[in-house]
Amino acid sequence: ANTVTSIINITSPSAILLISPGTPLGLGSMSIHDMYPTFVWYSDMNDYTVSLYELTDEYITQEEIEYLDPIMEIPDVIGTSLPFPAAYSGLAENKIYAWQVTAGINSPYTVSPDNPGGVP
């Protein structure tokens, strides 16, 4: 007749918010003077991938960017900032770039057409 009390904390991950450099997609480009910027974002997740794309148009859509190959992709980034990696050449003058941060969400449940909610 022993009673055990358990406290379970459930946290939903917050969206990744890009902080610096640049402006939000669709608002035009922003000039920066650092060819080797530090990418900074906000999120409560971990194990990020940072991708950099060279654009031909500053008003490109997110859907159009998804079809581009990144010119730089750095996986397994821990923390919420990444100094521009020395292994890559810096940003070029008079070019337009977009950067993206993604993080995987691990789940013990599998989502499939037969199990759309992912619950066993």
Side-chain angles (χ1 to χ4, degrees), residues 20-36:
S20 178
T23 57
L25 189 64
L27 295 182
S29 62
M30 171 185 163
S31 294
I32 63 170
H33 302 287
D34 188 357
M35 293 176 56
Y36 302 92

Side-chain angles (χ1 to χ4, degrees), residues 38-102:
T38 295
F39 300 101
V40 181
W41 61 94
Y42 171 79
S43 177
D44 59 358
M45 293 183 263
N46 53 28
D47 195 15
Y48 302 96
T49 297
V50 178
S51 302
L52 180 69
Y53 302 88
E54 186 176 327
L55 308 180
T56 56
D57 180 7
E58 66 184 280
Y59 295 105
I60 192 169
T61 66
Q62 176 64 41
E63 292 78 22
E64 293 170 315
I65 291 175
E66 290 175 7
Y67 291 105
L68 299 176
D69 291 324
I71 60 171
M72 178 183 85
E73 190 166 78
I74 309 296
D76 304 321
V77 176
I78 305 300
T80 56
S81 67
L82 175 70
F84 199 96
Y88 291 89
S89 60
L91 304 179
E93 195 172 330
N94 297 320
K95 299 271 185 170
I96 302 169
Y97 297 93
W99 61 288
Q100 177 184 44
V101 176
T102 56

